[in-house]
Amino acid sequence: MNTTVNIAGVTFKNPVMTASGTFGSGMEYSEFVDLNRLGAVVTKGVANVPWPGNPTPRVAEVYGGMLNAIGLQNPGVEVMIERDLPFLKDYDTKVIVNVCGKSTQDYVDVVEKLSDQSGVHMLEINVSCPNVKEGGIAFGQDPKALFEITKEIKKHAKQPIIMKLSPNVTSIAEMAKAAEAAGSDAISLINTITGMKIDIYRKTFAIANKTGGLSGPAIKPVAVRMVYEASHAVNIPVIGMGGIANAEDAIEFMLAGATGVAVGAMNFHDPYATLNVIEGIERYMTEQGIDDINDIIGAVK
Amino acid sequence: MNTTVNIAGVTFKNPVMTASGTFGSGMEYSEFVDLNRLGAVVTKGVANVPWPGNPTPRVAEVYGGMLNAIGLQNPGVEVMIERDLPFLKDYDTKVIVNVCGKSTQDYVDVVEKLSDQSGVHMLEINVSCPNVKEGGIAFGQDPKALFEITKEIKKHAKQPIIMKLSPNVTSIAEMAKAAEAAGSDAISLINTITGMKIDIYRKTFAIANKTGGLSGPAIKPVAVRMVYEASHAVNIPVIGMGGIANAEDAIEFMLAGATGVAVGAMNFHDPYATLNVIEGIERYMTEQGIDDINDIIGAVK
Amino acid sequence: MAKKKKIAAEVIAQDVIAEGIMDLRLKTDLAEDANPGQFIGIYPKNKSTLLPRPISICGYDKNEGTLRIVYRIAGSGTAEFALYRPGNHVDILGILGNGFPTDKAQGKRVLIIGGGIGVPPLLGLAKELKEGLGENFAEDITMVMGYRNSETFLADEFRNYGNLFIATEDGSVGTKGNVIDACRENKIEADVIFSCGPMPMLRGVAAYAKEISAKAYISLEERMACGVGACLGCICKTKNVDEHSHVNNARICTDGPVFDADDLEL
Amino acid sequence: MAKKKKIAAEVIAQDVIAEGIMDLRLKTDLAEDANPGQFIGIYPKNKSTLLPRPISICGYDKNEGTLRIVYRIAGSGTAEFALYRPGNHVDILGILGNGFPTDKAQGKRVLIIGGGIGVPPLLGLAKELKEGLGENFAEDITMVMGYRNSETFLADEFRNYGNLFIATEDGSVGTKGNVIDACRENKIEADVIFSCGPMPMLRGVAAYAKEISAKAYISLEERMACGVGACLGCICKTKNVDEHSHVNNARICTDGPVFDADDLEL
Ligand SMILES: Cc1cc2nc3c(=O)[nH]c(=O)nc-3n(C[C@H](O)[C@H](O)[C@H](O)COP(=O)(O)OP(=O)(O)OC[C@H]3O[C@@H](n4cnc5c(N)ncnc54)[C@H](O)[C@@H]3O)c2cc1C
Ligand SMILES: Cc1cc2nc3c(=O)[nH]c(=O)nc-3n(C[C@H](O)[C@H](O)[C@H](O)COP(=O)(O)OP(=O)(O)OC[C@H]3O[C@@H](n4cnc5c(N)ncnc54)[C@H](O)[C@@H]3O)c2cc1C
Ligand SMILES: Cc1cc2nc3c(=O)[nH]c(=O)nc-3n(C[C@H](O)[C@H](O)[C@H](O)COP(=O)(O)O)c2cc1C
Ligand SMILES: Cc1cc2nc3c(=O)[nH]c(=O)nc-3n(C[C@H](O)[C@H](O)[C@H](O)COP(=O)(O)O)c2cc1C
Ligand code: FES
Ligand code: FES
């Protein structure tokens, strides 16, 4: 049985990754999950300097999911290089570093600092975080801005890049095409959908930032649709995510066109979720007589 | 205690309505609900001629909600005038007719045919149905197209109009402003979010149309956020909907800025949902010492 | 007709009657209004699943106020139902649908054909046609039930109401093959056919009815949301323009689930 | 330190100990690793709610392998927990958090201050400081617990471990007012304060600690998603740059919930 997939020249032992921001740098969940089993660890978004993030409350539960407005708190790329990457090097898994910034220069700074890190296999560029005021999502909601920043980053990146797309757009196909046209090696989607929760007794927003990003099973149908639309619009590989809780969900994304899949908020519900997805995919392949996982990618048209 | 609200000069005994397409013409649910109790009955979308709609399966259940691609099956406006409006006339409630079409002329035809119907208090213009190929959503995803069609409909409409907005856009505020600028008397939102479900064992789409509109509690945080953004962008009243299941949900929409609220897919879960919402709002007002429901509209800023 | 309601029903008993097939009895006022071929919607308690599951009425006792349903464990909702024990309560919506037109059976040779999980609703029908209090007694009742294998659930009960033929896919009981094979093998004649089962079987039944010049009334399935005719999710194609919809679509949940096969575009 | 786990625990007993306050005992291997001030995440079975509910450990018996938690019915998750009966199973995540630094109490005059639903974790602490097997015995233990009214849950048990003062909002028991009023009224002195309760109370405690020149260790609450330090949802503001985050934020779920009050921006 072959479960390896290839994304932009990088080979993953299986398609299952962690969604950025839901798995720390891998350290926290290594108490639950043998990281060697994962296709890749995708780290929390990192900027050129430490970011303090947003005020609390930063998270709120909603029906079938959660809102978050962490605001990309991160210790900066230097700490990532000194602490997190060495930790991850001991594992036989691929490492994708998620990069955030407020200006094009911010992104370029991080990308350059990571360029000689052999422990970093790919870079995922987060231009779709709805929780920071400047930069972030602005790049991710306009095809022209996305094209420009992708092009600029691509000039400086040594590793293949994955542009991470926002679902908060009219046409995901257009955004996917812009990323591809500018040279992105792959795309990932979806980031969270902007949402809001109001506490009707306290008459306040449940999240200090007012809005937060919606994730979890609630968004899965939107994510599957967008992965389908995006993967039909471009020829670069797609990494799908949004509400994946189990192998059935992951397979749904792959049938829709995803080459890789990531587990996000459901790690919080089930810290073993990534392992369960990997084992469930193998079971499905056996039951369905599928020898090569690549045969199911985009198989439902 | 005052529960009446005023939308574009029309007075509703309470803010609670039915969401178009989830309550038929009111006849079906009148076995469960005394229609006299409702703020308004909003009817299923009606076109100038009968529409056969999409092939089946047209509905699929998903986590915390459902997908539908009915494709706006309807018996045409003549049947509505001869059968449904007389039925509704016997009730002491307001009637809002939801109008659909494939071209601007289609919409205008329906609006004109309804113009001398005294039993129709408002028209809700559905330019946001994701389930019909032509027309429909195209008008609802581009501010310029929305402006043009709103202007044209406004020329012919005798009753106040409500433009119903699609959530499948980058900026809901921009769409709300376009509707207002073109003279819409109110706006309603959200229509369904385009989604997809794949049956991984049968390797087919769960909905014959491939994509369907997502509704139910799963979409509530997105709907609340959009109602908040839209109501802060315009000065016309907003009717909010998307996953309302109970009074708490309805109040959340009102605190976010909605003057009216509509119960959609949750009628299928609880045929008494509209009544429960009405009674729950009254209880909340008593408990919180709120004399006038209008005091909570947009109260969380 | 009584008004439809959503109410809590009490579980009286539940048994496994074949692999993955459950036999559930509910105490509920709705039993009063039940007729063969009608169905109820059952709401799972699992809060991630909000739609009612349509399940046919297999039997009812109007005096005791009980409904009997027989269902296959097919997914998360039915898997949940299978865990219910006597004393548990469950929300149900009903009574839904039109039911079989038992009046068409009066004095006629009736053939009842069921396949797979389409078998259960026909038991209530057979009973009604044989013992019912109306004047709808059939002249005689022949039944053909199709199963996968030797787990021929409900077969013994059918025998109380007439002559039963069985078809099994694996040939372990009765005719090896499908219900139409069994009809042919036994040269079954009839004036009226009532049937429920998967769509390919129903197409076969409609064709067989033509062959033997019988009227066929068939019960259809489709994905449903509301169950009460409001959402237009559950339509089937009709030959003529439908009176309610004004297009060639009828709602299975309210105009059906039982239709005159001649009216349908199968 | 043992690895964190998500495992099923068995409900041994559950009682109502005040209006809306439940006392739940669980059988679980996690008891082995429990320390006062740590907490577990409890997962509701309701599938629309996916996040674990953080609940402090009120007590534990390492020999019997049991955990005790005392919680207020605050919303849908805790309302569900309140229905559990002996023999039911529930998924829990743990052991989470750092716990109280009991070593700071050695040979010291300890003051334990709790308010409302911050009271329960302090019971396990008092017990450990009085009877624990480590060498962390306090010289003496004074306790001040604040309640809304005469429903002074757990008060009798606190009395086993030292001198207990009570403050109630309605004045029905002890000092009328808050815990700081009670501390003042009774002129309580101490070297070390351990506290848990609502944020305004904790601010008062930190100020009182300054007044009496004591060190204060306080347990904080914040909305959590992961509970294990990965999501950065549950931070509090620190005076200095935090070692892990490299900004002035510490994670309550892993770096806390107990902090040296001097390190915090309250
Ligand atoms: C009128 C009617 C009568 C029926 N009578 C019976 C009966 O007597 N016994 C029996 O075992 N089954 C019957 N079915 C099928 C039964 O409704 C499904 O097996 C059941 O809904 C599956 O629910 P689930 O949650 O277990 O499966 P899931 O696959 O988890 O269900 C997901 C969604 O799909 C719907 N769904 C899944 N399968 C079907 C289906 N075959 N038909 C319609 N909706 C489906 C569910 O209602 C739910 O909304 C009937 C269906 C209809 C339309
Ligand atoms: C470290 C820690 C220890 C705690 N120990 C106890 C205890 O021993 N006894 C006790 O009664 N309560 C304790 N709480 C508070 C308890 O977590 C909440 O009352 C509980 O989560 C409410 O869940 P719910 O589903 O009933 O309420 P809902 O309001 O329905 O919960 C919705 C969401 O908000 C979260 N939430 C709601 N209230 C709080 C809160 N006060 N703090 C953190 N998250 C909250 C829930 O976890 C859930 O994710 C503790 C909180 C923390 C952070
Ligand atoms: C708490 C939290 C933090 C997140 N942080 C990041 C981040 O730093 N960078 C990023 O690109 N996406 C971030 N995301 C988005 C996820 O990677 C993912 O795209 C999204 O949550 C949808 O997947 P899910 O539904 O499986 O969670 C975050 C999501 C959550 C819930
Ligand atoms: C089965 C179904 C049919 C619908 N038909 C229409 C329609 O005809 N016209 C329209 O404007 N919206 C239609 N909608 C959208 C709803 O009116 C509503 O905007 C949406 O479902 C969100 O609300 P909810 O989550 O409460 O269902 C339909 C929704 C459903 C579920
Ligand atoms: S299920 Fe809604 S019309 Fe039949
Ligand atoms: S709850 Fe996730 S870091 Fe604390």
Side-chain angles (χ1 to χ4, degrees):
Chain A
M1 186 194 294
N2 174 44
T3 60
T4 66
V5 295
N6 183 299
I7 298 176
V10 180
T11 300
F12 297 83
K13 59 171 71 162
N14 62 55
V16 182
M17 316 180 178
T18 61
S20 175
T22 66
F23 211 75
S25 64
M27 208 174 297
E28 289 78 10
Y29 277 105
S30 66
E31 290 195 50
F32 299 91
V33 171
D34 175 2
L35 305 186
N36 293 305
R37 296 281 281 121
L38 301 179
V41 170
V42 182
T43 61
K44 170 77 187 163
V46 69
N48 53 343
V49 293
W51 286 12
N54 287 330
T56 57
R58 291 177 169 187
V59 292
E61 191 181 62
V62 295
Y63 213 108
M66 60 177 283
L67 295 175
N68 91 79
I70 306 300
L72 289 171
Q73 176 185 326
N74 77 87
V77 64
E78 316 275 1
V79 174
M80 154 141 293
I81 291 170
E82 279 154 36
R83 179 184 63 192
D84 301 326
L85 294 180
F87 166 81
L88 288 169
K89 237 175 208 150
D90 288 343
Y91 292 95
D92 174 26
T93 186
K94 294 294 184 281
V95 173
I96 301 179
V97 173
N98 183 275
V99 177
C100 57
K102 286 172 183 148
S103 64
T104 305
Q105 193 54 47
D106 284 0
Y107 285 97
V108 167
D109 281 356
V110 180
V111 163
E112 287 189 328
K113 286 199 176 118
L114 291 169
S115 62
D116 56 358
Q117 293 294 323
S118 64
V120 176
H121 303 95
M122 295 185 86
L123 302 171
E124 181 179 52
I125 313 299
N126 178 8
V127 286
S128 49
C129 181
N131 301 322
V132 293
K133 294 269 172 300
E134 313 124 310
I137 201 163
F139 295 114
Q141 290 190 310
D142 172 31
K144 259 189 65 183
L146 179 64
F147 179 90
E148 295 302 339
I149 194 168
T150 305
K151 213 157 176 189
E152 197 56 33
I153 289 170
K154 192 60 198 157
K155 272 189 211 150
H156 299 84
K158 285 275 166 25
Q159 294 94 340
I161 69 166
I162 306 161
M163 296 307 290
K164 182 160 179 180
L165 305 185
S166 168
N168 301 295
V169 295
T170 306
S171 167
I172 197 74
E174 214 182 311
M175 300 303 289
K177 282 184 195 157
E180 180 182 47
S184 192
D185 301 285
I187 52 176
S188 62
L189 68 162
I190 60 173
N191 210 315
T192 54
I193 309 182
T194 310
M196 176 180 284
K197 177 179 177 177
I198 290 174
D199 183 324
I200 68 163
Y201 298 105
R202 298 202 180 85
K203 298 209 178 70
T204 58
F205 299 99
I207 298 270
N209 187 51
K210 294 189 185 179
T211 60
L214 179 63
S215 61
I219 66 169
K220 198 187 71 174
V222 179
V224 171
R225 185 262 298 180
M226 288 193 166
V227 163
Y228 179 87
E229 288 178 354
S231 68
H232 280 71
V234 298
N235 292 310
I236 50 178
V238 173
I239 301 169
M241 68 202 73
I244 294 177
N246 52 42
E248 283 74 20
D249 295 338
I251 293 161
E252 197 178 346
F253 276 89
M254 296 193 75
L255 289 170
T259 301
V261 290
V263 179
M266 287 306 271
N267 287 304
F268 310 154
H269 178 70
D270 175 10
Y272 312 107
T274 45
L275 292 189
N276 291 340
V277 170
I278 293 166
E279 286 163 14
I281 289 178
E282 289 169 4
R283 242 187 342 264
Y284 175 84
M285 290 175 69
T286 307
E287 279 167 24
Q288 302 275 314
I290 297 160
D291 289 329
D292 185 347
I293 185 100
N294 291 281
D295 292 347
I296 73 167
I297 298 169
V300 173
K301 301 219 160 62
Chain B
M1 184 193 296
N2 173 44
T3 60
T4 66
V5 295
N6 183 300
I7 299 177
V10 180
T11 300
F12 297 82
K13 61 171 70 164
N14 64 56
V16 183
M17 315 179 180
T18 62
S20 175
T22 66
F23 211 74
S25 63
M27 208 175 298
E28 290 77 11
Y29 277 104
S30 66
E31 290 193 51
F32 300 90
V33 171
D34 176 2
L35 305 186
N36 293 305
R37 295 282 281 124
L38 302 178
V41 170
V42 183
T43 61
K44 169 77 185 162
V46 69
N48 53 344
V49 293
W51 286 11
N54 287 329
T56 56
R58 290 178 170 186
V59 293
E61 191 182 63
V62 296
Y63 213 107
M66 61 176 284
L67 296 174
N68 90 78
I70 307 299
L72 288 172
Q73 177 186 324
N74 78 85
V77 66
E78 315 275 2
V79 174
M80 154 142 295
I81 291 171
E82 277 155 38
R83 179 184 63 193
D84 301 326
L85 294 181
F87 166 82
L88 288 168
K89 237 175 208 149
D90 287 343
Y91 292 95
D92 174 25
T93 186
K94 293 293 185 281
V95 173
I96 300 179
V97 173
N98 183 275
V99 177
C100 58
K102 287 172 181 147
S103 64
T104 305
Q105 192 54 47
D106 284 359
Y107 285 97
V108 168
D109 282 354
V110 179
V111 163
E112 287 191 328
K113 286 200 175 120
L114 291 170
S115 61
D116 56 359
Q117 294 294 323
S118 64
V120 176
H121 303 96
M122 294 186 87
L123 302 171
E124 181 179 52
I125 313 299
N126 178 9
V127 287
S128 49
C129 180
N131 300 323
V132 293
K133 295 268 171 297
E134 313 122 309
I137 201 163
F139 295 114
Q141 289 190 309
D142 173 31
K144 258 188 65 182
L146 179 65
F147 179 89
E148 295 302 338
I149 193 167
T150 304
K151 215 157 170 186
E152 196 56 33
I153 289 170
K154 193 60 199 157
K155 273 190 213 150
H156 299 86
K158 287 275 170 18
Q159 294 92 341
I161 68 166
I162 306 161
M163 296 307 290
K164 181 160 180 182
L165 305 185
S166 168
N168 301 295
V169 296
T170 306
S171 166
I172 197 75
E174 216 182 309
M175 299 303 291
K177 282 184 196 156
E180 181 182 47
S184 191
D185 302 285
I187 51 175
S188 61
L189 66 162
I190 60 174
N191 209 315
T192 55
I193 308 181
T194 309
M196 177 180 283
K197 178 179 178 177
I198 290 174
D199 182 323
I200 68 163
Y201 298 105
R202 298 203 179 86
K203 298 205 179 73
T204 56
F205 299 99
I207 297 270
N209 187 50
K210 295 188 185 179
T211 59
L214 179 63
S215 61
I219 66 170
K220 198 187 72 175
V222 179
V224 172
R225 184 263 297 179
M226 289 193 166
V227 163
Y228 179 86
E229 288 178 355
S231 68
H232 280 72
V234 297
N235 291 312
I236 51 179
V238 173
I239 301 169
M241 69 202 72
I244 295 177
N246 51 43
E248 284 75 20
D249 297 337
I251 293 160
E252 196 178 348
F253 276 88
M254 296 192 75
L255 289 170
T259 301
V261 290
V263 178
M266 287 306 271
N267 287 305
F268 310 153
H269 179 69
D270 175 9
Y272 312 107
T274 44
L275 292 189
N276 291 340
V277 169
I278 293 166
E279 285 163 14
I281 289 177
E282 288 169 6
R283 245 187 340 265
Y284 175 84
M285 288 175 68
T286 306
E287 279 167 24
Q288 302 276 315
I290 297 159
D291 289 329
D292 185 346
I293 185 96
N294 291 282
D295 292 347
I296 72 167
I297 298 169
V300 173
K301 300 215 160 66
Chain C
M1 224 177 54
K3 277 194 183 177
K4 290 169 192 144
K5 292 191 200 109
K6 181 185 176 186
I7 51 171
E10 188 186 338
V11 174
I12 304 286
Q14 176 150 244
D15 300 293
V16 184
I17 57 168
E19 206 196 315
I21 308 284
M22 309 297 296
D23 184 350
L24 174 67
R25 319 253 172 169
L26 296 171
K27 184 150 187 78
T28 167
D29 292 345
L30 291 181
E32 214 174 297
D33 310 317
N35 287 304
Q38 291 187 297
F39 63 103
I40 56 174
I42 312 187
Y43 290 91
K45 297 184 202 301
N46 173 345
K47 296 252 186 211
S48 76
T49 58
L50 299 166
L51 300 177
R53 272 49 184 164
I55 306 279
S56 296
I57 293 166
C58 167
Y60 42 83
D61 184 322
K62 301 198 179 199
N63 294 327
E64 294 189 359
T66 59
L67 283 182
R68 177 187 187 186
I69 62 167
V70 168
Y71 63 94
R72 168 181 291 151
I73 300 176
S76 77
T78 48
E80 180 193 309
F81 304 154
L83 301 174
Y84 296 168
R85 296 283 163 267
N88 289 163
H89 283 80
V90 55
D91 284 336
I92 63 175
L93 180 73
I95 299 291
L96 307 178
N98 59 357
F100 286 102
T102 47
D103 54 328
K104 310 281 192 213
Q106 205 182 345
K108 297 280 166 61
R109 292 171 305 162
V110 173
L111 170 58
I112 301 178
I113 305 178
I117 203 63
V119 164
L122 300 172
L123 183 64
L125 173 68
K127 182 168 191 229
E128 180 68 25
L129 292 180
K130 180 84 179 176
E131 302 175 352
L133 297 178
E135 268 114 72
N136 303 334
F137 301 106
E139 184 191 312
D140 90 7
I141 303 177
T142 308
M143 293 163 289
V144 181
M145 298 295 146
Y147 300 92
R148 246 177 245 170
N149 52 36
S150 62
E151 295 215 89
T152 58
F153 53 89
L154 304 180
D156 287 343
E157 297 187 56
F158 274 106
R159 291 202 178 90
N160 296 330
Y161 308 116
N163 205 3
L164 175 70
F165 297 93
I166 288 179
T168 53
E169 282 173 31
D170 67 359
S172 54
V173 184
T175 303
K176 179 173 162 77
N178 62 32
V179 287
I180 303 301
D181 297 329
C183 287
R184 291 236 162 76
E185 188 173 302
N186 298 288
K187 300 202 169 60
I188 302 177
E189 296 281 322
D191 305 314
V192 177
I193 300 179
F194 295 115
S195 185
C196 183
M199 188 47 93
M201 184 196 98
L202 294 178
R203 286 201 190 95
V205 166
Y208 187 73
K210 285 245 150 32
E211 281 174 43
I212 63 166
S213 306
K215 281 294 290 177
Y217 298 94
I218 60 179
S219 179
L220 305 186
E221 259 190 29
E222 187 49 79
R223 302 289 156 143
M224 296 184 174
C226 71
V228 301
C231 75
L232 307 183
C234 68
I235 59 98
C236 60
K237 288 279 150 204
T238 55
K239 284 204 180 118
N240 299 312
V241 166
D242 175 76
E243 239 181 75
H244 179 268
S245 72
H246 288 257
V247 292
N248 292 37
N249 293 340
R251 296 163 301 176
I252 293 176
C253 69
T254 31
D255 306 318
V258 182
F259 292 91
D260 181 338
D262 291 335
D263 293 344
L264 299 178
E265 203 68 72
L266 281 175
Chain D
M1 225 178 53
K3 278 194 183 176
K4 289 169 193 144
K5 291 191 202 109
K6 180 185 176 186
I7 51 171
E10 187 187 337
V11 174
I12 303 287
Q14 175 148 248
D15 301 293
V16 185
I17 59 169
E19 205 196 314
I21 308 285
M22 308 298 298
D23 183 349
L24 173 68
R25 320 255 172 166
L26 297 171
K27 181 149 188 81
T28 168
D29 291 347
L30 292 181
E32 215 174 295
D33 309 319
N35 286 304
Q38 291 188 295
F39 63 102
I40 56 174
I42 312 187
Y43 290 91
K45 297 186 203 299
N46 174 344
K47 296 254 184 209
S48 76
T49 58
L50 299 165
L51 300 177
R53 272 49 184 165
I55 305 280
S56 297
I57 293 165
C58 167
Y60 42 82
D61 184 322
K62 303 200 179 198
N63 294 327
E64 295 190 357
T66 60
L67 284 182
R68 177 187 188 185
I69 63 169
V70 169
Y71 63 94
R72 168 181 291 152
I73 299 177
S76 76
T78 47
E80 180 193 309
F81 304 154
L83 301 174
Y84 296 168
R85 295 287 162 265
N88 290 163
H89 283 80
V90 55
D91 283 337
I92 63 175
L93 179 73
I95 299 291
L96 307 177
N98 59 357
F100 286 103
T102 48
D103 55 326
K104 311 283 192 212
Q106 208 182 340
K108 298 281 167 60
R109 293 172 305 163
V110 174
L111 171 57
I112 302 179
I113 305 179
I117 203 63
V119 164
L122 299 171
L123 184 64
L125 174 69
K127 182 168 192 226
E128 181 70 24
L129 292 179
K130 180 83 179 180
E131 303 176 349
L133 297 177
E135 269 115 72
N136 302 334
F137 302 106
E139 185 191 309
D140 87 10
I141 304 178
T142 308
M143 293 162 290
V144 181
M145 299 296 147
Y147 300 93
R148 244 177 247 169
N149 52 36
S150 61
E151 297 214 88
T152 58
F153 55 89
L154 303 180
D156 288 343
E157 297 186 57
F158 274 106
R159 292 204 177 88
N160 295 330
Y161 309 116
N163 206 2
L164 175 70
F165 297 93
I166 288 179
T168 51
E169 283 173 31
D170 67 359
S172 54
V173 184
T175 303
K176 180 173 164 77
N178 63 32
V179 288
I180 303 302
D181 297 330
C183 287
R184 292 236 162 76
E185 186 171 302
N186 298 289
K187 299 201 172 57
I188 301 176
E189 296 281 322
D191 305 313
V192 178
I193 300 180
F194 296 116
S195 185
C196 183
M199 187 49 90
M201 183 196 100
L202 294 177
R203 288 202 189 94
V205 167
Y208 187 73
K210 287 246 150 30
E211 283 174 41
I212 64 168
S213 307
K215 280 295 289 178
Y217 298 93
I218 60 178
S219 179
L220 304 187
E221 259 190 28
E222 187 48 80
R223 302 289 158 144
M224 297 185 173
C226 71
V228 301
C231 76
L232 308 182
C234 66
I235 59 99
C236 60
K237 289 276 147 205
T238 55
K239 284 203 181 116
N240 300 310
V241 167
D242 174 75
E243 240 181 73
H244 178 269
S245 73
H246 289 256
V247 291
N248 292 35
N249 293 339
R251 295 164 303 178
I252 292 175
C253 69
T254 31
D255 306 319
V258 182
F259 293 90
D260 181 337
D262 290 336
D263 294 345
L264 298 178
E265 204 67 72
L266 282 175

